[in-house]
Amino acid sequence: MLRKILPLVLTACLTIVVTPNSAHAKCAVQRVSGEEKIISSKRLNQAKLDAAILAQVNFYRCKHGLAKLAPASGLRRQASKHSVWMARSGKLSHKASGGSSRTLSKRLKSSGLKYKTGAENIGVMRLYNIDGRRFMIRSSGKCVFTTPSGKPIGRHSYRSLAQLAVREWMESPGHRKNILRRNLRHTGAGAGIRPNSRHCGAVFLTQIFSG
C-alpha cells in the first residue's frame, strides 16, 4: 500500500518578527557525537537529541546574523517532561493536564533559570523516517517500510529527527519567529515516544526558549 505522511504537525506561541541577514554564508551545523545513532522505540537519549536540535537551531540563527543560543539543562528537563506527557496522553498541546509544569510559564519557572521572556515550539512526527515522503508498507506488524522503489526506510537517527523537526519549524511562520527571536539566550529540547501510535510510533517534541 502506497502512503504519504504529511509533514510535522506543529503549534507555536510567543513570536516576534525578525529580518534575515544574508551576510552569514559560512555558517555550518555543529557535529554532535553519536547523532547518527538510530533512536530506540523504548529509550531515548534526551541530552543527545537536545544537542542535535540545538546544532540545527544555531545554524539557522547564524545564517540570520543572530547570536547562538546556549544549552540549559533545566529547560531540557522541562521540555522532556512535557514531551513525555504529550506522548502518554496523545495530545499535542502547550498546556498539560496537571502538575507543576502544566503551562509554559510554570515550565520556565521550574527550569531554575532567571528569565524575562520565553517561547516554546512543539510538534509530532513519525518515529520512522516517513514524514513528507511516499512510502510502501511491506509489513505493518513488523514495521517494514520502503520507498516505492524498494529501498528500506528505518527509524530516525538523532540527526535526521533534529534536521526534519527544525526544518519544518523554520517553514512555519510562528515557529520560525520563535527560533529567530533576538532576545532569547538559552534553550532546551526534549522528546517523548508514543510506541503504539500509527505506523509504528510517534515522537512528540518540545523546545523551550528563555531570554
Side-chain angles (χ1 to χ4, degrees):
M1 182 184 299
L2 184 63
R3 298 291 181 86
K4 183 175 182 180
I5 290 291
L6 296 176
L8 179 71
V9 180
L10 330 134
T11 62
C13 64
L14 299 175
T15 60
I16 189 170
V17 176
V18 298
T19 303
N21 186 337
S22 60
H24 297 260
K26 295 184 179 180
C27 301
V29 179
Q30 182 178 349
R31 305 296 293 185
V32 175
S33 177
E35 66 181 353
E36 295 297 343
K37 184 177 180 180
I38 300 301
I39 295 174
S40 168
S41 60
K42 297 181 180 180
R43 186 174 183 178
L44 188 147
N45 188 319
Q46 298 284 0
K48 194 180 300 297
L49 179 61
D50 181 28
I53 289 176
L54 178 61
Q56 296 293 325
V57 164
N58 278 339
F59 167 70
Y60 286 106
R61 286 180 66 88
C62 175
K63 288 182 67 175
H64 287 78
L66 300 171
K68 291 182 178 181
L69 298 178
S73 59
L75 293 178
R76 184 184 74 225
R77 286 193 298 271
Q78 291 301 311
S80 301
K81 184 176 180 179
H82 185 62
S83 294
V84 169
W85 175 86
M86 289 194 295
R88 288 175 178 172
S89 65
K91 297 178 180 179
L92 184 67
S93 174
H94 289 283
K95 185 177 290 187
S97 59
S100 61
S101 302
R102 62 182 180 273
T103 64
L104 172 58
S105 177
K106 290 183 179 298
R107 288 190 284 277
L108 286 166
K109 290 178 181 178
S110 297
S111 72
L113 287 177
K114 292 182 179 181
Y115 69 96
K116 294 181 179 179
T117 187
E120 182 175 84
N121 286 343
I122 60 176
V124 61
M125 57 201 301
R126 299 298 102 190
L127 178 61
Y128 281 74
N129 194 1
I130 56 179
D131 289 274
R133 64 194 300 184
R134 294 171 65 82
F135 67 97
M136 300 289 294
I137 301 175
R138 303 297 182 179
S139 173
S140 58
K142 295 182 179 180
C143 302
V144 179
F145 307 102
T146 72
T147 65
S149 63
K151 183 179 179 180
I153 301 175
R155 294 191 304 273
H156 273 289
S157 67
Y158 288 92
R159 183 184 185 189
S160 67
L161 185 71
Q163 285 178 326
L164 178 59
V166 178
R167 184 173 71 243
E168 294 292 341
W169 279 333
M170 285 297 294
E171 291 176 358
S172 168
H175 300 84
R176 178 187 177 93
K177 290 173 185 177
N178 283 347
I179 289 172
L180 300 181
R181 282 183 59 171
R182 293 182 179 274
N183 60 344
L184 298 177
R185 297 292 180 268
H186 295 89
T187 188
I193 296 177
R194 188 174 176 84
N196 59 344
S197 183
R198 189 182 181 192
H199 297 315
C200 298
V203 183
F204 286 77
L205 298 167
T206 304
Q207 184 169 26
I208 304 174
F209 306 86
S210 71

